[in-house]
Amino acid sequence: MTATDIAIIGLGKIATDQHVPAIRACRDFRLAATVSLGQSLPDVPAYEDMEAMFAAHPGVAAVALCVPPQVRYPLAVESLKAGRDVLLEKPPGVTLAEVEALRALAERQGCVLYATWHSRHANGVDPARDWLAARRVTGGKVIWREDVKRWHPGQAWIWQPGGMGVFDPGINATSILTHILPDPVRVTRAEFETPANCETPIAARLSLLTGEDAVIDVDFDFRETGEQVWSMWFDTDAGRIELSGGGARTVADGRLLSDGAALESEYARIYDQFAGLIADRRSDVDLSPMTLVADAFMLARHRRTDEFHDEQKT
């Protein structure tokens, strides 16, 4: 089987850390080009705009959009109108409406659109979903606390409108939660802490409610300088299940269902799924993780806190 030529648009930290090695390890894709301002890879043709890249590489059939969400929409439109299949790094856009517009455009163009949620591919997520399928959730807790200076050094776009602030990692939690719980949840309360010099929150506390009125408390914080915590647990009518390491490790009633490290194989599985979607000519655009985030922004009480200044760690 011939590999699909793919181009990466936006060669930032997530692209170089995750997308590049995942594509190179995937037999279904060949990294044919990159488009980025001031960044390139050895032995891969590099361009600073997509029009030039498409002109030079008409065989590129797919693109992975890894630019910040604020500038992703026009690039996705250009790619789809050029007849290319499109993979969107999370979050898929800055608004729900623009992603719905991309979904409609992809359908009209006969292209594949894939809104990725890498944390759903963590080792313990599917075992957790299977375990919860026949159980009723009675309560739960989500804790996502990490050091923004460690994971997003110098990324000022996170603090600008559309950047989501602490919800940039927090949406990983909502992507897991919406995938594994047997029933939908809704946001009933949200409290944000936003630095005085920023437009997006550095911390957030949410309350979610299941269809059967079980409360799930959510704690997101970008200021964790100690142990990084990406965990959640749920009590049910038949025991407790706990996920840690961003969904990599799952323990149900003391029994280990799955183990692994955060980010292990997640992007490899993303590209396996993208290849399958291309083969089937089918899109996958699930907006439920982003809907919870949007609802939190609509309901939030806001509190200004100390200014945030990013001093990059070496």
Side-chain angles (χ1 to χ4, degrees):
M1 183 177 67
T2 303
T4 297
D5 278 358
I6 189 170
I8 291 177
I9 316 300
L11 205 58
K13 180 174 173 56
I14 194 66
T16 54
D17 287 355
Q18 301 297 334
H19 288 266
V20 171
I23 290 171
R24 285 178 166 164
C26 183
R27 65 178 183 179
D28 296 307
F29 292 101
R30 185 181 77 89
L31 183 55
T34 64
V35 178
S36 190
L37 296 176
Q39 302 291 329
S40 63
L41 296 171
D43 303 321
V44 179
Y47 302 85
E48 292 196 350
D49 68 82
M50 286 206 307
E51 185 177 4
M53 185 274 291
F54 285 146
H57 300 273
V60 166
V63 299
L65 289 180
C66 304
V67 294
Q70 294 98 324
V71 298
R72 196 173 297 156
Y73 177 78
L75 297 175
V77 168
E78 182 178 351
S79 300
L80 292 169
K81 286 186 174 180
R84 271 62 174 192
D85 299 325
V86 173
L87 179 151
L88 300 171
E89 176 58 76
K90 65 86 190 171
V94 293
T95 68
L96 296 167
E98 73 175 27
V99 185
E100 290 289 4
L102 292 177
R103 188 208 308 260
L105 177 60
E107 184 174 354
R108 292 195 301 271
Q109 293 293 115
C111 295
V112 172
L113 182 65
Y114 177 28
T116 65
W117 302 107
H118 68 82
S119 290
R120 286 184 172 179
H121 295 280
N123 291 336
V125 171
D126 282 343
R129 186 183 194 186
D130 293 343
W131 190 88
L132 284 164
R135 291 170 169 84
R136 179 173 61 85
V137 173
T138 58
K141 178 84 172 182
V142 177
I143 305 173
W144 234 250
R145 300 175 68 92
E146 66 178 58
D147 184 356
V148 64
K149 295 180 181 181
R150 174 179 173 184
W151 300 101
H152 300 279
Q155 296 180 20
W157 61 265
I158 286 179
W159 306 112
Q160 298 164 359
M164 293 194 180
V166 74
F167 285 94
D168 181 77
I171 206 169
N172 295 333
T174 65
S175 74
I176 295 174
L177 183 146
T178 53
H179 186 67
I180 68 175
L181 292 184
D183 297 307
V185 295
R186 58 190 177 90
V187 181
T188 59
R189 181 182 61 84
E191 298 176 357
F192 291 176
E193 293 182 51
T194 303
N197 60 334
C198 298
E199 301 296 331
T200 56
I202 198 166
R205 311 288 180 266
L206 314 179
S207 287
L208 309 180
L209 205 62
T210 71
E212 296 190 353
D213 294 333
V215 176
I216 298 171
D217 292 320
V218 178
D219 175 7
F220 293 156
D221 206 308
F222 243 168
R223 301 166 298 192
E224 183 57 66
T225 57
E227 180 182 358
Q228 309 290 278
V229 181
W230 305 291
S231 65
M232 60 182 70
W233 56 261
F234 304 101
D235 285 326
T236 76
D237 56 355
R240 172 178 283 197
I241 189 166
E242 302 176 48
L243 291 84
S244 57
R249 177 182 173 87
T250 297
V251 177
D253 270 351
R255 182 168 63 93
L256 182 66
L257 300 184
S258 182
D259 203 358
L263 289 174
E264 183 179 53
S265 302
E266 292 176 20
Y267 280 84
R269 291 166 185 163
I270 279 177
Y271 280 96
D272 286 344
Q273 183 166 341
F274 191 31
L277 292 172
I278 290 173
D280 295 340
R281 305 309 303 161
R282 179 173 60 88
S283 292
D284 182 351
V285 185
D286 178 12
L287 290 179
S288 57
M290 191 170 170
T291 298
L292 290 181
V293 174
D295 287 353
F297 272 87
M298 292 178 69
L299 286 173
R301 295 178 180 271
H302 298 267
R303 183 172 73 84
R304 284 290 180 178
T305 188
D306 296 341
E307 290 189 359
F308 172 80
H309 297 282
D310 186 5
E311 299 171 357
Q312 295 189 31
K313 294 187 174 181
T314 59

